[in-house]
């Protein structure tokens, strides 16, 4: 069957079972858009900015576990998308990005809307391809989906020159592909897995540290079973929230820069640490020199060998698919006659209980001004913890992570590694399209929301009834907090002095806008908003401008060097 390159592209998407393509048309991809028009299996979502296309596709992937797909044109279309590509790359999200390119004879001649897409995106993709012959297009697309979704996932870009999308070729989509230079390990070394189990059973002060890899690897069930059977304390990273249920007594909270007192101290003082799908990044362990301890042994399980001993030397490295490795660990544990030292474990839990007694997430509940933590707690109560929650980046993101007790994976969607403001609203769109019957809430701030606020138009066009919780403190909140703590209260360019009327702005897009200024009105307003199942509701909560996120570990310091509140400033 002879098809054009554009038609082949769409047939490839159909073969991969793609539901949605998020994109924005332009000259270099018009043939592909024309091919989209003539079919009805793959639905296109027209965003208002290419960055939003990438964030929406990203969130679709995070929520479903299937690769998200974005389509952008050449030149500024690609450069607008780079932030979204880098966001997905930093958080290991499976995506395929199709970009248009100028015709092959014009490449390198500074043609209209030409950029070196392969060169620009190389540092922030798992892989990229420039398709020079239409005959290679189908196989390249198969490779793109294979690379994006296997091993450590990530975004893969396919750059298609305009003439390639016009040329004709026979369409044959391969069932599988083999790439000599790409063969990710699935099963871990049996000897290392046995050594890890032996070490866990010998532990007196054990700790399980779970990152986003457990969610990406669909290993949350195995993590939960292993932790429950061992009786060990467990902490999740920002990206790992939901991998182990936050309502379980063995969960000691999120760790890291804004982690709980008990999680950070347990992490620092454990004698055996099991790290699952995590990378010991700077926001988690602080200063590696401070974290180092001769008395602690570390087991690290990860699909990516380059992540192991990258920042912290580990004693038992295990490279493999987490679900496979954890299943084998569970089998060995079940077969072992040895059990963890019950007396030592009780003593360790007693110590953790004392740390928990600090109640590090307490705040002033008697305030006449709305506290942002209170809004997040009410969001959790009103939705009964059953909403898919997206967030932007800043203080509101940390409060959401601290006060929403996630009990299952793929319900918390945020930009962790890159920290991308503007992620929240388009991410909510992607999640709502993936699960149209679910409640989707976007927790944001008055600065972050304006990065991609134009996507309220996309929500209107496609009837996406997301609920926006805007914690409006009239500041770049996290910037202001750092300036207060680290820069002597010199608030350089962090005050938002010309904010729009968000209620009127939401209404101008055809949505419902609500402003809430009193604590007593928070819960009623939220219940009314979530009762409107078929409408976007933008809730503008006027919150305390001086509130900071605590606990806090300052950059360059160690996990035990936490600021617990205003009294430590």
């Amino acid at each position: 069957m002879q098809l054009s390159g554009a038609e082949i592209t769409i047939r490839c998407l159909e073969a991969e079972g793609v539901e949605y393509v998020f994109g924005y048309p332009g000259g270099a991809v018009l043939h592909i858009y024309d091919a989209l028009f003539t079919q009805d299996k793959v639905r296109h979502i027209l965003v208002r900015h290419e960055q939003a296309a990438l964030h929406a596709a990203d969130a679709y992937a995070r929520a479903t576990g299937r690769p998200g797909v974005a389509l952008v044109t050449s030149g500024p279309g690609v450069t607008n998308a780079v932030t979204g590509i880098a966001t997905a790359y930093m958080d290991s999200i499976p995506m395929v990005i199709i970009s248009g390119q100028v015709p092959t004879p014009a490449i390198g001649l500074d043609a209209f809307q030409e950029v070196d897409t392969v060169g620009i995106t190389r540092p922030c993709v798992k892989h990229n391809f420039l398709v020079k012959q239409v005959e290679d297009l189908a196989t390249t697309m198969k490779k793109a989906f294979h690379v994006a979704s296997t091993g450590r996932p990530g975004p893969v870009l396919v750059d298609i020159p305009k003439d390639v999308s016009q040329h004709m070729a026979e369409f044959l989509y391969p069932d599988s592909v083999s790439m000599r230079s790409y063969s990710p390990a699935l099963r871990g070394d049996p000897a290392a897995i046995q050594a890890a189990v032996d070490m866990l059973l010998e532990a007196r002060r054990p700790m399980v540290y779970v990152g986003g890899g457990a969610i990406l690897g669909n290993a949350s069930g195995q993590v939960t079973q292993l932790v429950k059977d061992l009786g060990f304390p467990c902490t999740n990273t920002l990206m790992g929230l939901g991998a182990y249920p936050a309502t379980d007594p063995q969960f000691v909270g999120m760790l890291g820069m804004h982690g709980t007192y008990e999680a950070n101290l347990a992490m620092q003082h454990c004698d055996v640490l099991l790290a699952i799908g995590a990378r010991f990044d700077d926001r988690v362990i602080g200063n590696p020199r401070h974290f180092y301890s001769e008395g602690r042994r570390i087991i690290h399980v990860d699909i990516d060998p380059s992540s192991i001993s990258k920042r912290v030397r580990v004693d038992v490295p295990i490279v493999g698919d987490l679900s496979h490795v954890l299943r084998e660990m569970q089998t060995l544990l079940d077969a072992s006659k040895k059990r963890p030292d019950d007396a030592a474990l009780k003593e360790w839990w007693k110590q953790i209980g004392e740390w928990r007694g600090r109640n590090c997430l307490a705040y002033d509940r008697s305030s006449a001004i709305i506290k942002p933590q209170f809004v997040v707690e009410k969001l959790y109560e009103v939705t009964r913890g059953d909403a898919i929650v997206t967030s932007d980046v800043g203080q509101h993101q940390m409060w959401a992570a601290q006060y929403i007790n996630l009990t299952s994976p793929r319900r918390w969607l945020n930009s962790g590694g890159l920290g991308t403001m503007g992620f929240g609203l388009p991410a909510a769109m992607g999640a709502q399209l993936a699960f149209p019957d679910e409640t989707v809430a976007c927790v944001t701030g008055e600065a972050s929301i304006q990065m991609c606020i134009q996507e309220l138009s996309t929500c209107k066009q496609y009837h996406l009834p997301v609920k926006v919780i805007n914690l409006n403190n009239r500041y770049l909140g996290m910037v202001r907090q750092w300036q207060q703590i680290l820069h002597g209260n010199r608030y350089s360019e962090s005050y938002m002095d010309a904010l729009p009327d968000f209620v009127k702005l939401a209404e101008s897009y055809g949505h419902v806008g609500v402003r809430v200024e009193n604590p007593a009105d928070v819960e009623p307003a939220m219940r009314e908003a979530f009762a409107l199942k078929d409408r976007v509701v933008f809730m503008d909560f006027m919150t305390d401008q001086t509130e900071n996120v605590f606990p806090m570990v300052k950059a360059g310091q160690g996990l035990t060097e936490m600021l617990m509140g205003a009294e430590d400033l």
Side-chain angles (χ1 to χ4, degrees), residues 246-270:
T247 53
D248 189 88
Q250 288 174 234
F251 183 67
V252 295
M254 180 180 74
L255 82 162
M257 177 172 279
H258 296 294
T260 65
Y261 185 71
E262 54 268 31
N264 283 353
L265 266 69
M267 185 79 168
Q268 187 70 33
H269 295 295
C270 66

Side-chain angles (χ1 to χ4, degrees), residues 168-405:
M168 306 294 289
E170 182 180 357
F171 174 64
L172 181 63
Y173 198 63
D175 294 327
S176 61
V177 289
S178 177
M179 302 174 68
R180 185 174 59 182
S181 60
Y182 179 71
S183 182
L186 290 179
R187 298 191 178 278
D189 175 28
I193 295 173
Q194 181 66 67
V197 170
D198 292 341
M199 191 176 292
L200 290 170
L201 292 174
E202 294 169 359
R204 300 180 64 82
R205 300 186 311 278
M207 185 69 170
V208 181
Y209 153 49
V210 183
I215 295 173
L216 296 169
N218 298 311
S220 299
Q222 288 96 328
V223 166
T224 302
Q225 182 180 353
L226 185 70
V227 172
K228 294 298 290 182
D229 285 355
L230 288 168
F232 291 175
C234 180
T235 182
N236 291 341
T237 66
L238 177 71
M239 299 307 301
L241 291 174
Y244 187 84
T247 53
D248 189 88
Q250 288 174 234
F251 183 67
V252 295
M254 180 180 74
L255 82 162
M257 177 172 279
H258 296 294
T260 65
Y261 185 71
E262 54 268 31
N264 283 353
L265 266 69
M267 185 79 168
Q268 187 70 33
H269 295 295
C270 66
D271 67 341
V272 173
L273 176 64
L274 172 60
I276 301 172
R279 55 192 181 91
F280 294 91
D281 69 277
D282 59 298
R283 287 299 198 261
V284 167
I285 65 164
N287 189 329
R289 290 193 297 272
H290 183 282
F291 184 71
Y292 174 74
S293 171
E294 291 185 1
R296 184 201 300 118
R297 294 178 293 173
I298 299 176
I299 304 159
H300 192 178
V301 186
D302 205 285
I303 189 69
D304 182 6
S306 71
S307 290
I308 295 179
S309 291
K310 185 176 184 179
R311 298 191 76 240
V312 173
R313 184 186 63 80
V314 305
D315 300 278
V316 181
I318 304 174
V319 178
D321 179 84
L322 294 185
S323 60
H324 285 294
V325 173
L326 293 177
R327 195 174 297 118
E328 292 179 29
M329 290 179 73
Q330 187 71 51
T331 299
L332 291 173
L333 179 66
D334 292 342
S336 176
K337 295 180 180 179
K338 187 175 181 181
R339 305 307 300 165
D341 187 318
D342 187 58
L345 200 54
K346 283 182 179 178
E347 192 64 28
W348 179 228
W349 273 114
K350 180 182 177 182
Q351 174 63 79
I352 292 172
E354 292 176 6
W355 291 331
R356 272 178 168 162
R358 288 289 300 267
N359 193 17
C360 65
L361 297 183
Y363 63 91
D364 180 10
R365 296 175 180 274
S366 62
S367 173
I369 305 172
I370 296 174
K371 292 291 185 179
Q373 303 96 317
F374 180 71
V375 178
V376 174
E377 284 187 322
K378 288 302 175 184
L379 169 63
Y380 177 67
E381 290 177 19
V382 168
T383 61
R384 295 186 291 275
D386 197 37
I388 297 174
V389 179
T390 73
S391 88
D392 272 300
V393 171
Q395 288 179 312
H396 56 271
Q397 177 190 27
M398 295 299 105
W399 284 315
Q402 289 175 334
Y403 292 92
I404 295 177
N405 295 317

Side-chain angles (χ1 to χ4, degrees), residues 24-33 50 71-74 77 100 113 162:
Y24 201 94
V29 287
L30 284 185
H31 293 292
I32 298 175
Y33 271 88
E50 289 88 353
L71 173 60
V72 299
T73 194
S74 62
Q113 291 193 331
K162 189 170 185 177

Side-chain angles (χ1 to χ4, degrees), residues 134-145:
V134 68
E135 292 81 7
D136 299 331
L137 183 54
T139 300
T140 301
M141 289 292 289
K142 184 67 178 182
K143 289 179 179 178
F145 277 93

